[in-house]
Amino acid sequence: MKLTSYIFAGAMLASTAQADQYAIGTLPQGSGGYVIAAAIASTASDHTKNDLIAVATGGSNLVLPQVNSGEMDFATSNMIEAAYATNGTGNFEGMPLPNIRVAAVLPRYQVGFLVRQDSDIQSATDLVGRRLPTQYSAMKMIELMQDATLAAEGLDTSAFEPSSVPNFAKAVELLTSGRVDAAFAAATSAQVREADAAVGVRFLGIQPTEGGEAKMQEIAPGSYLATMEPGPGLIGVEKPLTMFSYEYTLLVGTHVPDDVVHDVVKALYENQVQLAESSPHFKGWDPQNIFRPMEAAAYHTGAMAFFKDAGLLKD
């Protein structure tokens, strides 16, 4: 749907039509998702005939139904959630969104269990019986990722002293204050950086059991295990660690014309440097990975046309 202006009332968006303007629904301002969406909007606006704008919303459970219905055009989310939304599973249990498509595969995220630097905990199994947030009331996606990570090590939340938090930021806050023994987070998040400055923190690597990765993927389709190496901007990563990994994605509704999606994806593929100047998440991103075969979610036909043009997808 082509959009002209955006009037916000809380998380709701009202719009009127104007040619060649499209909205990317994303997380609130200040979040990594918003920074990524803003970089995409700026780059695509500079290199296509269309204007794109990043629109902060209350999160994927609000914005993906809007994309599905045609109220919103694009959205930033992740490969796992694309599968959930397509199939009506996970945080979209019983609510499939058949008009959601993947436009582009974006940078990789890696997440895991964070503990205080002075903790005696060295692995997830050392956490058994300890205090761990097990329910994320406002971020069901985090809860599912944590469940999948535990499954890779042959564990589930029954092994811990449970608690409920609204989101990962609150979990990290409780870890910093000593009220829980671990939190599930990303090494690039501002909250982890603040916790490290306050008390010192480090991540635990995953030690998968036999068949553990497959069990993880049953809960979180599109996820995989990969090594995270210490490096600039990564907090609490003192040595190479095996981490829960997944790609961020640009999603789009089937109502968006093929030529619009084709040109947006082409702009991202050809302008990695500009994307990295706007968002640090794109600094290590290889445009050759903008397409990755997947079974649990479908690509937009406009994106598929570009992948064929670029030689990324063979007939």
Side-chain angles (χ1 to χ4, degrees):
M1 182 178 69
K2 296 180 179 180
L3 303 171
T4 57
S5 60
Y6 301 88
I7 304 171
F8 295 90
M12 300 304 294
L13 172 70
S15 61
T16 56
Q18 174 187 352
D20 300 322
Q21 193 169 78
Y22 294 86
I24 306 174
T26 187
L27 296 173
Q29 291 191 25
S31 67
Y34 185 88
V35 173
I36 288 173
I40 291 171
S42 176
T43 301
S45 295
D46 286 348
H47 298 282
T48 73
K49 64 182 180 182
N50 305 302
D51 293 324
L52 279 79
I53 183 171
V55 178
T57 73
S60 58
N61 282 74
L62 173 65
V63 73
L64 293 191
Q66 291 180 331
V67 173
N68 185 70
S69 68
E71 298 171 72
M72 188 76 72
D73 304 306
F74 294 88
T76 56
S77 187
N78 60 70
M79 191 73 77
I80 302 164
E81 200 154 46
Y84 287 156
T86 298
N87 299 299
T89 56
N91 57 329
F92 289 95
E93 182 70 41
M95 299 181 294
L97 304 178
N99 299 323
I100 294 288
R101 296 290 184 271
V102 179
V105 178
L106 303 174
R108 181 170 68 183
Y109 268 64
Q110 293 183 285
V111 295
F113 288 107
L114 185 73
V115 299
R116 291 172 61 132
Q117 184 67 253
D118 59 3
S119 171
D120 62 346
I121 297 168
Q122 301 298 323
S123 68
T125 54
D126 292 340
L127 272 170
V128 171
R130 306 283 190 107
R131 301 165 300 173
L132 179 71
T134 54
Q135 294 182 312
Y136 290 76
S137 59
M139 295 187 78
K140 181 69 173 177
M141 189 68 208
I142 300 297
E143 185 178 320
L144 291 164
M145 288 182 178
Q146 178 171 282
D147 288 348
T149 300
L150 290 171
E153 301 205 48
L155 299 169
D156 60 47
T157 53
S158 67
F160 310 98
E161 183 180 323
S163 63
S164 178
V165 293
N167 51 45
F168 81 90
K170 184 62 176 180
V172 174
E173 178 187 322
L174 294 179
L175 175 67
T176 303
S177 64
R179 294 161 61 189
V180 298
D181 296 298
F184 199 73
T188 55
S189 74
Q191 290 82 3
V192 169
R193 187 173 296 105
E194 292 167 3
D196 189 59
V199 298
V201 292
R202 56 182 169 81
F203 277 91
L204 307 176
I206 295 175
Q207 299 176 22
T209 59
E210 184 175 353
E213 185 171 18
K215 292 178 181 177
M216 179 185 82
Q217 292 167 339
E218 288 178 7
I219 298 173
S223 66
Y224 55 95
L225 297 176
T227 301
M228 174 182 281
E229 300 283 351
L234 297 180
I235 306 300
V237 183
E238 302 170 339
K239 59 184 180 181
L241 298 173
T242 299
M243 300 287 277
F244 180 92
S245 307
Y246 60 96
E247 273 87 13
Y248 217 56
T249 58
L250 178 65
L251 303 181
V252 63
T254 54
H255 66 280
V256 180
D258 282 7
D259 63 321
V260 173
V261 178
H262 176 285
D263 291 351
V264 168
V265 177
K266 182 175 186 286
L268 303 184
Y269 180 77
E270 294 180 347
N271 295 282
Q272 183 270 340
V273 172
Q274 181 175 346
L275 288 165
E277 289 172 349
S278 300
S279 168
H281 300 87
F282 284 99
K283 287 185 177 178
W285 179 63
D286 182 354
Q288 292 294 315
N289 295 326
I290 199 168
F291 168 75
R292 182 162 75 83
M294 66 182 77
E295 296 181 359
Y299 282 97
H300 192 282
T301 49
M304 294 289 280
F306 171 72
F307 299 145
K308 291 178 179 178
D309 289 348
L312 301 173
L313 177 63
K314 308 298 183 183
D315 291 327

